[in-house]
Amino acid sequence: FELDFTPAELKAPIDELLAVGNLLQGPGFSIPFTHLLTTVASSPDFRELVYTTIVYGKRFTSYLQRFVQRFSAVVQRYRLVVMTLDQEAYAECVRLQGTPGCVYAPTQTIMHKFMLPLVLVRLGVSVVWLDFDVFLVGPDPTPRILEHAESGPYDILVSGSFETPCICSGIYYLRAVPIVESWLLRATHWMYEHPYEHDQRTFAAFLDAGERIATFAPLPDEEIPRWDTLDAGIEFVTAAVLDGNGWLGDESQMLMFHFLNGESDGWASESSDISGNWMRIFAEGRDMLDVFFSQEAEMYTTNMSAFEHPVL
């Protein structure tokens, strides 16, 4: 792995790090760290909780406008921070939502999926991470996420599987507290030192969520934040592209749908559909990003539930 954040930005005491220079012109700060500082300093809207995702490449970038529009229509209070891994995606992000909320990092690595939230947590900002193949069905999922987090209370929430006891890091919530910061730093450090292991398996293993990872040494015996799975049966649903996923069918309560495009993970969605039924019956062989992000414009500018819209 290559990193765009410096080691100090990831693990030095944040107060000491920011005290070495002007907030926005700190000496030696990386490009993504500087962009995050600019974003957090720009508005109170970025200082409590933000949603985050990553996009890069011509094809994915072509769907960014609809992704941002749908987010803005559904999520009523909180803002979206998009990390872009090439100049074209960054320019499109700035065009859509201005400089605050757009972060450029030149290295295309899965590590950013966890380092971006880590830096935000270090800056005191709680995070809801969304993979780019998550569709906001509506209504605003934030009240339900925060209600669930307070019910424990839980410092981490993560999407799960409908039939099997496993998690999916395609949707997760992190509370900006020290125990989450130290836990996520340990997990990302381990990922960096063991690039052969899948990031989601590592995420699960560090939560002691039942996944086994390829290691001869025990994982650090340190405190794990209180965590729970988001409701996978109705509210935070994962497509039945992979065995064990599905839902209970109450569309009026669905909040997010993770349709598992999967290309950034090295496999096409068709190849993960063991029976072929999902793509043949439900997607009619179409590209899933196209199904969800290339409908008529009204679909993305209204806050009505997708199930109330005739297209979906």
Side-chain angles (χ1 to χ4, degrees), residues 49-66:
L49 179 145
V50 297
Y51 285 71
T52 60
T53 193
I54 283 178
V55 65
Y56 65 96
K58 182 177 181 180
R59 197 169 85 79
F60 287 96
T61 300
S62 70
Y63 296 106
L64 182 58
Q65 178 171 339
R66 293 292 173 80

Side-chain angles (χ1 to χ4, degrees), residues 269-284:
S269 55
E270 291 88 348
S271 67
S272 65
D273 180 15
I274 305 302
S275 68
N277 287 336
W278 171 261
M279 292 301 294
R280 184 176 63 253
I281 298 174
F282 296 102
E284 298 179 348

